[in-house]
Amino acid sequence: MSEIPGTAGGVVWQSGTPGSLYDYIRVASFSIGPDGRVEQWSRRAAELFGVTAEEAVGKDPVEAFMPADLHERGYQQVKEILDGEEWTGLVPFRAPGEEEPHGMAEMYVMPSETRTGERAALCVVVDVRALRRIETDLAASQAIFGQSPFGFLLFDTDLTVKRANRRFATVFGGEADDHRGRTVRDYLGRSEAERMTAALRRVLETGESVTDLRVVGAAPGARDRRHWSVNLYRVHSGSGRPIGVAGLGIDITRRHNAAREAASARRNLALLNQAGARIGNSLDLEATARELLDVAVPGFCDLASVDLYQTLLTGDEAPPGRWGSPHDAGHGAGSAELRRVAFASAVSDTPLRSDGGHAPDGRPGTVPVEVGSVHRYPFNSPYAGALRTGRIRTVPGADGDLAQSTLVVPMTAHETVIGLVQFSRAKGSEPFGQRDRALAAELAARAAVCIDNARLYRREHERALILQRSLLPPGDPEAAGLDIACRYLPGTDATEVGGDWFDVIELPGHRTALVIGDVMGRGLRAAVAMGELRTAVRTLAQLDLEPAEVLSHLDEIACGLGAPIGAQQSRAHKSRGPELSEVYLATCVYAVYDPVTRRCTFANAGHLPPVLVEPGKAAALVDVPPGVPLGVGGEPFEEVEVELPEGALLALYTDGLVESRDHPLDEGLGAFRRVLTDPARPLEDVCDRVLTSLNTGHGEDDIALLMARVQGLPGEAVGDWRLPREPRSVGRARELARAQLAAWGLEPLVDTVELLVSELVTNALRYGEGEIRLRLLRDRTLVCEVWDAGLVQPRRRRARDTDEGGRGLQLVGLLSSSWGARRTPRGKTVWFELALPDGEGDREPTVEQLLSMF
């Protein structure tokens, strides 16, 4: 039974489990009558001694429950008790029928009287084992509350503190008893207190324990936030009634900080791995800067930007960073010009400010720096200091700025500062720590190396492009009897410079050499090799050799490009022994076109065959023996002579036009031939149509395309005569030349041509063999050719004063714009060329020039 105060009527009695101390110690009672025998036996006594009331009532307790050796003393104690004395002590007992004692009871005997006034006794018995357990439990409780190194609280059912231990009081102040009656709101902030209260109520209602509840707060008077791990469980009475909630709190601030450091280290390691995989995938400076920011935002910071020196981006080799003195810092002096090449933000699209930076005009300003704009940093600013010293600076955020702190990290490659990267965290984010500074430096260093590599590549790429383009024919090349159109598309910035080239070379007799080639390999070395081969082709072309001979000489030159390094270089590399320079192979097609006969002679060194489109026919590949590439050496080259009809279209090209990773070569050649279905269109339009129609996959390789439409010299532009080997042929040659020039309206050239023709025919009669042939060709210039069967080449020499001859070739060289001699299959040809009267270079020799021959 229990009572609840405060109800109507004052006190209300109700039944229920006691839930008191007696539930734990389990007190039993019985009474002894005046005769010394058991008179009453409680249920608790029956549970304690294991004897029912029927078995105990009426029996002598000494005889029934005490060992035999204690009977005498037991009877003496019973007598004294019945005489009215109280007694307290420990009594061993045994169950009836057992010889040995099996328990120890603490007994309190109180004298009593019956109705008739006889002496009796009331006995209260407690099992000593229960008492020992209570003592142990009390000691354990005292150890938890008094000696535990962890904070301990016992909450009542109304969730107020019922008891706190000394450790808790040490952390939160005062004595342990001072915390009685408080709630979690007295220790934690509002949000944390509400969360803790909800957890306490849930544990009290459901009985389900809560483990490792993380709570954050600050002890009274302390500024640093602490982290606790709280375990909650419901506390019951001995009868099982909930009487409150126990809470054990462990300070895990160090563990939390260590875990945060470990998580930060794992995050930084992941960022570095990500940086290694994502930064430097392109050879473009701006793209590499953007890749850096893609890694840093938002994984490392909230805002970031990259500034690079303007000289770095423009290709200027001058060292970056020209600084003024501190006295000039307010007058536009400071850092060298930088360009903002990248910006990224996870919180705002507003660019980072320049912190008082200067615009190119020298005016200071705090306006945001847009991507692509050029600006300066003042001399005394932390940004200029980071650039000047190469050390990281931390810049706190100013009022009104989005960023609470900024790491200013110089980008250094090969001990040279090339730019600046800013990592900023917005207000509310965790500030940068020492570990963050190390990570920022590592990210900037990796990006700087990649940007410097991209800079070096860009410089080499631009130089190679300059070299390559300088070696290509300038403008639209012209050729007698040919309409020429060409296209050259270099690889994109993502690819290296290739070795593709083409050329149109004027040969004597208004003939034209068409050349196209491709050096296998890329980069500046390939471009240099291409330049050497192109120069060699032009030199050999001026010797007027046959196409097969030209390729044979080129083959020897290409083999020489892979010759052993010179002795001086070998001595510089003694430790590595002899080595070879890089071996270059090249493919080439060399064709010579004669506009008089409209015949073209081809020779091929491993290149793709030319394409010929005759009027009214489909495009076809010219059947030219492919030969081996230049540089292989030892293999002869073959020639093929093809007559080209009037209006035919000839196309020379490199493999970048017809071959890519997306389709095989045969498919590309077929598509190229199908595009050339309308050769009558303007040649420039045909070139454009080829490049726009074919799936060239441009960007993978350079593309060179050289197209020529055949337009042979008309018959009236050619004068061709054969002369017998006799002295009068000299006069006949002068007459034929005079008449032909008159027919062409070139009377101003008659005297000069008569004189020079007379000299060449005379030499043919004197030093040559066989029949003499005279040919005049009129196109953009006038060409005169004298053929004979002799093999001796004319040689220009300076005649002595006493010599009667030897001045003819000097006169030819003086009066003509150019002259020369070439071998033919049946002898040789000596020729000279004159500009037309209305053309440039039409001049008469001076007296001094004429006298210089004597």
Side-chain angles (χ1 to χ4, degrees), residues 196-213:
M196 182 73 173
T197 301
L200 287 169
R201 186 173 291 111
R202 185 169 63 254
V203 171
L204 185 62
E205 293 174 353
T206 65
E208 296 180 357
S209 300
V210 172
T211 59
D212 197 23
L213 175 65

Side-chain angles (χ1 to χ4, degrees), residues 66-137:
M66 297 186 66
D69 58 341
L70 297 177
H71 283 181
E72 183 178 355
R73 184 178 178 184
Y75 287 130
Q76 181 66 30
Q77 287 297 133
V78 172
K79 182 179 181 299
E80 292 177 357
I81 292 170
L82 293 178
D83 287 342
E85 294 184 8
E86 292 185 357
W87 180 83
T88 302
L90 297 177
V91 178
F93 65 89
R94 62 177 175 83
E98 296 183 0
E99 295 297 332
E100 297 296 332
H102 72 281
M104 186 71 70
E106 184 175 299
M107 185 178 295
Y108 176 46
V109 182
M110 297 172 289
S112 65
E113 295 182 355
T114 64
R115 285 190 224 173
T116 59
E118 295 180 292
R119 298 286 182 93
L122 177 63
C123 301
V124 179
V125 184
V126 179
D127 189 350
V128 174
R129 292 173 298 179
L131 292 176
R132 297 296 180 266
R133 284 196 299 268
I134 292 176
E135 289 176 355
T136 302
D137 292 346

Side-chain angles (χ1 to χ4, degrees), residues 699-718:
E700 301 174 9
D701 197 1
D702 294 358
I703 294 176
L705 175 63
L706 177 60
M707 305 190 76
R709 177 172 286 118
V710 176
Q711 297 174 344
L713 288 180
E716 59 271 15
V718 179

Side-chain angles (χ1 to χ4, degrees), residues 616-677:
K617 296 182 180 179
L621 300 177
V622 179
D623 187 11
V624 182
V628 296
L630 303 176
V632 174
E635 294 295 329
F637 297 95
E638 300 182 45
E639 295 180 356
V640 171
E641 189 176 63
V642 179
E643 184 174 351
L644 306 180
E646 186 75 18
L649 185 64
L650 181 65
L652 305 178
Y653 52 94
T654 57
D655 56 359
L657 181 68
V658 295
E659 186 179 23
S660 73
R661 288 177 291 185
D662 299 331
H663 56 261
L665 177 60
D666 291 343
E667 183 179 332
L669 286 173
F672 181 37
R673 292 165 59 186
R674 287 191 295 272
V675 172
L676 301 175
T677 55

Side-chain angles (χ1 to χ4, degrees), residues 278-294 306 308 312-313 339 341-342 371 411 418 446-459 461-462 492-496:
R278 298 180 58 182
I279 299 176
N281 290 327
S282 67
L283 290 172
D284 180 82
L285 278 73
E286 292 81 358
T288 303
R290 290 192 296 269
E291 289 167 355
L292 167 62
L293 300 193
D294 290 341
V306 177
L308 296 179
L312 185 79
L313 298 169
R339 184 192 303 174
V341 296
V371 174
M411 305 181 72
I418 63 174
R446 292 194 179 194
V449 171
C450 295
I451 288 176
D452 193 54
N453 290 340
R455 176 186 69 86
L456 295 176
Y457 169 79
R458 174 183 288 186
R459 183 180 65 182
H461 188 265
E462 290 178 349
T492 62
D493 290 341
T495 60
E496 295 185 84

